[in-house]
Amino acid sequence: MVLADWIAIGVAIAVLALGALAGFGRALKWFTGGIMGILISVFVCYLIGGFFLDIEGIRNMLASLAANWKHIDWLYNMRLEIIIYYIVLFLICQIARILIVKIIGCVVETDLLPLKIINKVGGALFFFGVGLLITLLIFQIIYWVGGSALYDFYGKLAGSAFGLDKLLMNNPLVKFVDYIKGIVY
C-alpha cells in the first residue's frame, strides 16, 4: 500500500464519522440548500426539459404563444415561449426539491430508534458518496491540467491497493463530460 491508500482510509473514516454525526436529514438539507440546490434544479430542468417539450399539448401551447408574438419580431426571434417554459419548469423543480427534502428530513429525524439508525447510516453513506464525488472531481481537474502534473500525481498513486491510479486514468467523470460535450457541441 502506498501513502495515498493510507490517506484515503483516513479521509474515508473521517467522512463516515462526520456523516454519521450529522445524520442523513441534516446532510441532505445542507447539501441541497443554497447554490447547490439551484444547481440541482438547473440540472433536473436540463434533463427533463426536452422530454416535456416533446409532449403535444405543451408544444401546441408554445406554438400558439409564439404565433401571438409574430407582430413583435424581436420577441419572436428571442423564443420567449421557451424561456418562459424553462423558468416555470425551474420554479416547479425548486418547489419539488424543497418539499422532497423537507419530507425526507422530517421522516428520518424522528425519535424512533429504527429511523435514528437509518438516519445515521444514511448520513454516513451520503457523506461518503459526496466525498467520492469530490475525489472524482479533483481527479478530473488533474486530468484536465494534464502534462507533468498528471504524470507526477499518477506516479504517487501507482501501485495503489485501492486502484486509485486506475481511477485517475479511467475517471467516470471524464467519460461523462466527454458525453455531455458531444451532446452540446
Side-chain angles (χ1 to χ4, degrees), residues 48-60:
I48 66 174
F51 172 75
F52 288 119
L53 200 56
D54 286 341
I55 294 175
E56 191 66 33
I58 292 178
R59 189 181 312 147
N60 291 340

Side-chain angles (χ1 to χ4, degrees), residues 94-163:
Q94 282 284 83
I95 292 168
R97 177 189 55 81
I98 291 168
L99 287 174
I100 289 169
V101 168
K102 289 224 184 257
I103 290 170
I104 290 173
C106 288
V107 168
V108 298
E109 290 180 353
T110 58
D111 286 335
L112 298 172
L113 181 63
L115 288 177
K116 279 186 175 182
I117 293 170
I118 289 171
N119 188 26
K120 297 300 181 184
V121 171
L125 293 176
F126 185 75
F127 264 73
F128 185 77
V130 168
L132 184 62
L133 283 175
I134 290 171
T135 302
L136 289 175
L137 183 62
I138 291 169
F139 282 7
Q140 174 70 34
I141 292 168
I142 292 170
Y143 189 84
W144 279 338
V145 169
S148 63
L150 173 65
Y151 291 109
D152 289 344
F153 193 70
Y154 179 78
K156 292 178 182 173
L157 298 179
S160 169
F162 297 128

